[in-house]
């Protein structure tokens, strides 16, 4: 396997083993910490040994799963989770989060099912997976590219290792487990049949189905036992086989190790009394950004200034370009000014749309198009931008189409190291150049009194805008040589990320057509159903209350109806989270009504109400923004509005999808990009 495979940790298994393996440890306030300390040590060792980029820590959910519905006696003999262990789960989760490790927990399904689904998805993407667990049930997942690691015993199993340890190949683990049953999970098996006999039968007959068909051929008392309990084998197999097809709440590409939050990690270590861990944190002295470099700023207000700028731009083979606008929405924003830089310490600002009282005369956009349009459209002169897709939208809409967007510092940083820092200009300047920058709030103000850029005095606007271009050029000159030093990374940038800029810009510009009337009709229907659900909820609760208020819901569920408190929030209050309500729904009708009401409310606020409001008045379409530099693994994300997570499994979700339409004479085609 590769040096750094996709690591999937069976968190529940680790937690129980750590709890029973370590002596009782306590925090300064007396709370138990042994399981946290044990699991934390295992996590830190694992990260040191493998240095994974893709990783997930998976836990069992509270309450029952689909296996309990199939077999009510499933795990019925297990005692309740020891209070001393349960108390450690919440601080453990905070510790894991501070370490930058993604956590997964899915209501209704065990950790094994989530792990199986992740390994299946990883295999589909050609990723090698290492499942960290001592649970023999997960041996059924081992195959080429998927291995098991038991860190407590320092044993790593591939297909041959599974066969050697258990006597059967991974593909027969389910049959083997079905014959033996599992006392810890109360899975019915054959009385008196142990692992050796079960493995012998599988090797002799090939698989469980064949064994069942030829049960008469098995001699002795073992054969009598087999024949007497044949009817329970299908159930046992159903209980031990893991699900590999879950609709997980998070995409595989999002399960990426983040940077450890040193401040949070140190605070948690102090709280738990892990003094040595806190002392081991080696914080590199943060580079203190400078107060900014004093720039030579040229403001272009006269024709002579513009002519000089034109000569400068024509005489270079590469310049940085940035725009200043009135809005973050590239489909709505007005162009206020352009900034340029061709050398360190110098920047130009060309205002075209400032409108405050007393603003000096500015060159018209028509003059700028006539004088600079040819330069911007000349692909032989390379342009450098920071998130240049935005600038491309703005300039194209204002009659200044740009060719030669060769370099984008946001994407250069992203390709070089996707997780080193955020990829906005201010963060990149501080991280790579140790430079402080003028912030937008410094010139525009904050909150309700914040000005749009066209209202900002040129004395403040020009240095801010010119700095944007000059810093962008400096970042390019710092980042590009580092990309060139790695042929593979340079290829990713030049052949994937950079060409994609124009493709995404055209997709965003085209937009998508929706049937607003259909969405309005659905929204009205959802609202009516929500009223019915609220009315039923009020009747069950014995009075009106706000279904969206956790405080009121807590009072009704746990005080008025006296339902059991299944979990508490970090502040010690009873939780009314979705998974808690799902489990309480088995005990009372009200929680399910709340869940149904919440589901419809989310569909209305996210889709049926918001999408029609997002229609551009000029184009009649919805224009999303696709972000290339958000997911650390290269996956695109969609925002304002998000069009990537339209629900599909529910009737209501499919109804929303039907509102995405094609104009007359055309059709919509759905393509799975990752499969292509």
């Amino acid at each position: 396997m590769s040096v750094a495979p996709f690591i999937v940790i069976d968190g529940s298994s680790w937690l129980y083993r750590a709890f029973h393996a370590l002596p009782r440890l306590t925090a300064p306030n007396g709370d138990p910490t042994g399981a946290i300390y044990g699991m934390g040590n295992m996590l830190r060792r694992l990260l040191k040994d493998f240095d994974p980029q893709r990783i997930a820590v998976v836990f069992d959910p509270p309450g029952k799963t689909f296996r309990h519905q199939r077999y009510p006696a499933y795990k019925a003999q297990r005692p309740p989770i020891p209070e001393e262990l349960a108390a450690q789960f919440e601080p453990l989760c905070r510790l894991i989060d501070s370490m930058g490790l993604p956590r997964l927990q899915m209501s209704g399904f065990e950790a094994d099912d989530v792990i199986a689904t992740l390994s299946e998805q990883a295999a589909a993407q050609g990723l090698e997976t290492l499942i960290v667990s001592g649970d023999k049930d997960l041996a059924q997942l081992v195959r080429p590219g998927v291995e098991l690691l038991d860190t407590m015993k320092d044993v790593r199993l591939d297909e041959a290792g599974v066969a050697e340890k258990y006597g059967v190949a991974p593909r027969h683990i389910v049959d083997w487990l079905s014959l033996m049953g599992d006392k810890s999970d109360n899975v019915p098996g054959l009385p008196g049949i142990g692992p050796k006999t079960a493995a012998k039968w599988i090797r002799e007959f090939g698989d469980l189905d064949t064994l069942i068909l030829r049960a008469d051929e098995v001699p002795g008392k073992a054969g009598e036992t087999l024949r007497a309990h044949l009817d329970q084998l299908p159930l046992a197999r159903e209980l031990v086989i893991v699900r590999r097809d879950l609709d997980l709440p998070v995409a595989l590409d999002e399960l990426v190790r983040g940077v450890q939050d040193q401040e949070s990690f140190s605070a948690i270590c102090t709280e738990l009394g892990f003094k040595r861990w806190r002392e081991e944190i080696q914080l590199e002295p943060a580079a203190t950004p400078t107060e900014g470099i004093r720039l030579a700023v040229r403001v272009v207000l006269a024709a002579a200034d513009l002519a000089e700028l034109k000569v400068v731009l024509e005489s270079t083979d590469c310049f940085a370009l940035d725009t200043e606008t009135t809005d973050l929405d590239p489909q709505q924003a007005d162009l206020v000014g352009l900034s340029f830089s061709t050398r360190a310490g110098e920047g130009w600002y060309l205002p075209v749309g400032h409108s405050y009282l007393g603003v000096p005369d500015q060159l018209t956009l028509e003059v700028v198009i006539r004088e600079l349009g040819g330069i911007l459209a000349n692909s032989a002169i390379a342009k450098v931008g920071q998130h240049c897709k935005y600038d491309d939208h703005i300039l194209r809409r204002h009659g200044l189409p740009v060719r030669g967007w060769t370099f984008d510092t946001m994407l250069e940083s992203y390709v070089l190291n996707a997780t080193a820092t955020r990829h906005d200009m201010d963060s990149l300047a501080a991280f790579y150049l140790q430079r402080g920058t003028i912030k937008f709030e410094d010139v525009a103000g904050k909150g309700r009194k914040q000005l749009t850029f066209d209202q900002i005095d040129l004395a403040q606007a020009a240095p801010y805008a010119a700095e944007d271009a000059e810093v962008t050029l400096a970042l390019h000159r710092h980042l590009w040589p580092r990309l060139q030093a790695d042929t593979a990374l340079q290829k990713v940038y030049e052949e994937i990320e950079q060409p994609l800029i124009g493709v995404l810009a055209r997709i965003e510009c085209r937009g998508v057509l929706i049937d607003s009337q259909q969405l309005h009709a659905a929204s009205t229907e959802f609202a009516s159903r929500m009223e019915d659900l609220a009315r039923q909820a009020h009747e069950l609760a014995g009075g009106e209350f706000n279904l969206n208020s956790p405080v009121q819901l807590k009072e009704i569920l746990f005080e008025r109806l006296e339902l059991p408190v299944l979990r508490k929030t970090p502040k010690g209050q009873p939780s009314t989270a979705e998974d808690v309500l799902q489990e309480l729904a088995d005990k009372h009708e009200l929680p399910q009504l709340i869940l149904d009401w919440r589901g419809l409310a989310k569909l209305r606020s996210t889709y049926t109400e918001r999408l029609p409001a997002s229609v551009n008045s000029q184009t009649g379409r919805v224009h999303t923004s696709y972000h290339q530099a958000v997911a650390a693994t290269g996956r695109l994300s969609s925002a304002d509005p998000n069009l990537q997570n339209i629900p599909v499994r529910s009737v209501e979700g499919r109804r929303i999808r039907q509102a995405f339409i094609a104009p007359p004479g055309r059709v919509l085609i759905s393509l799975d990009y990752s499969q292509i």
Side-chain angles (χ1 to χ4, degrees):
M1 296 184 75
S2 61
V3 175
F6 173 39
I7 301 273
V8 188
I9 299 170
D10 183 355
S12 296
S13 171
W14 257 21
L15 184 58
Y16 271 93
R17 295 176 78 183
F19 176 69
H20 292 292
L22 271 74
R24 189 176 190 277
L25 303 177
T26 58
N29 66 357
D31 289 343
T33 60
I36 304 172
Y37 186 73
M39 186 163 173
N41 265 330
M42 290 190 286
L43 280 171
R44 297 172 77 223
R45 173 64 184 273
L46 188 76
L47 297 178
K48 181 179 180 181
D49 289 347
F50 290 92
D51 192 25
Q53 291 304 306
R54 295 170 177 259
I55 189 169
V57 185
V58 185
F59 289 101
D60 288 324
K64 297 179 180 180
T65 68
F66 74 95
R67 290 184 177 85
H68 292 89
Q69 297 175 1
R70 179 65 183 87
Y71 183 55
Y74 183 68
K75 295 187 177 180
Q77 85 297 347
R78 283 195 178 185
I81 299 175
E83 291 185 10
E84 189 168 304
L85 174 58
Q88 298 182 62
F89 184 71
E90 188 274 334
L92 171 66
C93 289
R94 288 192 286 119
L95 178 72
I96 293 171
D97 293 346
S98 74
M99 296 172 73
L101 307 179
R103 283 189 296 115
L104 269 179
Q105 194 176 34
M106 192 167 178
S107 179
F109 299 95
E110 296 180 63
D112 289 0
D113 303 304
V114 176
I115 292 170
T117 300
L118 288 174
S119 69
E120 198 75 10
Q121 293 179 356
Q125 293 191 20
L127 301 176
E128 295 179 329
T129 303
L130 186 61
I131 299 172
V132 184
S133 175
D135 188 353
K136 63 182 181 298
D137 293 4
L138 292 174
Q140 63 186 279
L141 300 175
V142 173
R143 58 178 171 175
V146 180
E147 295 181 8
L148 274 180
L149 173 65
D150 185 343
T151 54
M152 284 194 166
K153 297 180 180 179
D154 198 23
V155 173
R156 186 163 171 171
L157 300 177
D158 56 9
E159 288 185 289
V162 169
E164 180 179 354
K165 181 174 182 177
Y166 300 115
V168 295
R171 65 182 181 277
H172 294 313
I173 287 291
V174 170
D175 294 347
W176 179 70
L177 291 169
S178 302
L179 289 169
M180 295 187 301
D182 190 336
K183 290 183 179 180
S184 65
D185 289 345
N186 205 31
V187 174
L190 304 182
I193 301 302
K196 291 184 178 179
T197 301
K200 175 186 174 184
W201 285 349
I202 296 299
R203 290 195 300 270
E204 183 177 346
F205 291 92
D207 56 42
L208 183 60
D209 291 328
T210 304
L211 174 62
I212 292 173
L213 290 173
R214 297 168 57 187
D216 289 340
E217 300 177 26
V218 180
K221 284 196 172 184
E224 294 175 7
T225 299
L226 170 63
R227 290 183 287 274
H229 296 85
L230 283 177
D231 59 338
Q232 68 186 33
L233 289 176
L235 173 62
R237 177 162 53 185
E238 192 175 341
L239 294 174
V240 299
I241 194 169
V242 294
R243 288 279 300 272
R244 307 183 188 211
D245 59 348
L246 303 188
D247 185 14
L248 300 178
V250 63
L252 183 67
D253 289 345
E254 297 173 26
L255 299 176
V256 178
R257 177 184 175 188
V259 178
Q260 178 167 292
D261 186 333
Q262 303 288 44
E263 183 176 350
S264 295
F265 183 78
S266 179
I268 293 170
C269 290
T270 300
E271 172 190 333
L272 300 177
F274 300 162
K275 182 179 179 181
R276 183 170 60 84
W277 288 6
R278 188 181 69 248
E279 292 174 348
E280 287 175 357
I281 298 175
Q282 299 298 322
L283 285 172
E284 294 183 5
T288 303
T290 64
E291 291 301 317
I293 294 176
R294 190 172 184 84
L295 299 182
V297 179
R298 292 287 304 274
V299 182
V300 181
L301 290 173
D305 300 326
L306 183 60
E308 186 177 349
L309 172 61
K310 183 177 180 180
V311 170
V312 170
L313 297 180
E314 286 177 331
S315 62
T316 185
D317 58 0
C318 177
F319 63 82
L321 169 62
D322 188 51
T323 61
E324 300 301 340
T325 67
T326 58
D327 200 295
L328 293 176
D329 183 349
Q331 307 301 331
Q332 303 280 358
D334 293 326
L335 179 65
V336 179
L338 301 90
S339 55
F340 306 87
S341 182
T342 61
R343 55 192 295 182
E346 293 183 2
W348 299 70
Y349 182 54
L350 171 56
V352 295
H354 286 267
S355 57
Y356 59 88
L357 185 65
V359 63
D361 291 338
Q362 301 160 82
L363 294 170
T364 64
L365 185 58
E366 289 73 20
V367 170
V368 173
I369 292 173
R370 184 180 68 237
E371 296 300 320
L372 298 187
I375 297 173
L376 295 183
N378 184 356
S379 58
I381 302 177
K383 285 81 178 176
V384 182
Q386 163 69 26
H387 189 199
C388 57
K389 177 160 63 68
Y390 175 87
D391 301 301
D392 188 77
H393 278 305
I394 298 299
L395 294 169
R396 174 191 49 77
R397 287 182 49 242
H398 288 81
L400 281 166
V402 179
R403 294 179 182 174
W405 280 120
T406 310
F407 305 108
D408 188 324
T409 51
M410 178 182 75
L411 295 179
E412 288 176 349
S413 169
Y414 177 66
V415 172
L416 185 64
N417 190 332
T419 60
T421 180
R422 295 179 60 185
H423 303 286
D424 61 279
M425 193 199 73
D426 292 339
S427 297
L428 295 181
F431 187 82
Y432 287 112
L433 307 178
Q434 287 75 55
R435 281 182 60 175
T437 53
I438 305 170
K439 307 299 186 290
F440 182 75
E441 291 80 4
D442 296 337
V443 297
K446 298 180 180 180
R448 292 183 178 182
K449 295 183 178 181
Q450 187 175 75
L451 303 175
T452 52
F453 205 81
D454 59 315
Q455 300 171 307
I456 299 173
D457 192 287
L458 282 176
Q460 294 178 292
Y464 170 84
E467 182 187 73
D468 281 357
E470 196 272 344
V471 168
T472 297
L473 185 65
L475 283 169
H476 165 65
R477 289 175 173 172
H478 178 87
L479 294 169
W480 185 243
R482 300 176 68 176
L483 276 178
Q484 287 181 305
D486 189 317
T487 304
L489 292 183
Q490 183 179 356
K491 184 176 181 181
V492 169
Y493 177 85
E494 292 181 332
E495 298 185 11
I496 299 176
E497 298 295 351
Q498 193 277 337
L500 189 58
I501 297 172
V503 176
L504 293 179
R506 292 193 296 274
I507 293 174
E508 293 174 357
C509 180
R510 175 62 59 88
V512 62
L513 196 62
I514 65 171
D515 186 336
S516 294
Q517 290 184 345
Q518 185 174 339
L519 287 172
H520 283 311
S523 191
T524 300
E525 180 183 320
F526 292 170
S528 177
R529 288 169 57 186
M530 288 173 65
E531 289 179 4
D532 290 339
L533 290 169
R535 186 162 48 251
Q536 296 175 51
H538 294 158
E539 291 175 0
L540 288 172
E544 293 191 2
F545 68 99
N546 182 354
L547 276 69
N548 211 28
S549 169
V551 175
Q552 295 183 33
L553 187 58
K554 173 178 67 69
E555 187 273 330
I556 290 170
L557 293 179
F558 306 115
E559 296 178 22
R560 191 180 304 179
L561 299 179
E562 298 183 342
L563 294 178
V565 176
L566 302 180
R567 193 170 76 236
K568 293 187 176 182
T569 67
K571 294 184 178 180
Q573 296 297 313
S575 173
T576 57
E578 181 176 339
D579 59 334
V580 172
L581 293 180
Q582 286 175 343
E583 187 170 352
L584 289 174
D586 293 336
K587 308 178 186 302
H588 198 278
E589 295 178 58
L590 181 58
Q592 187 60 53
L593 290 174
I594 301 296
L595 288 170
D596 294 342
W597 186 91
R598 284 183 178 179
L600 291 173
K602 182 177 180 180
L603 290 177
R604 288 193 76 225
S605 63
T606 308
Y607 302 111
T608 61
E609 291 292 307
R610 186 179 180 193
L611 286 176
S614 300
V615 174
N616 186 293
S617 59
Q618 295 180 340
T619 67
R621 289 171 171 258
V622 174
H623 301 268
T624 186
S625 293
Y626 289 104
H627 300 299
Q628 289 175 260
V630 174
T633 53
R635 179 174 176 266
L636 291 175
S637 65
S638 166
D640 303 318
N642 182 356
L643 299 184
Q644 285 187 317
N645 296 319
I646 309 297
V648 67
R649 296 187 178 275
S650 66
V651 174
E652 294 83 5
R654 290 192 292 273
R655 185 170 176 182
I656 293 171
R657 283 181 173 246
Q658 290 170 358
F660 289 81
I661 58 175
R666 296 178 180 267
V667 296
L668 293 179
I669 298 177
S670 175
L671 301 175
D672 189 331
Y673 176 79
S674 64
Q675 294 297 329
I676 294 173

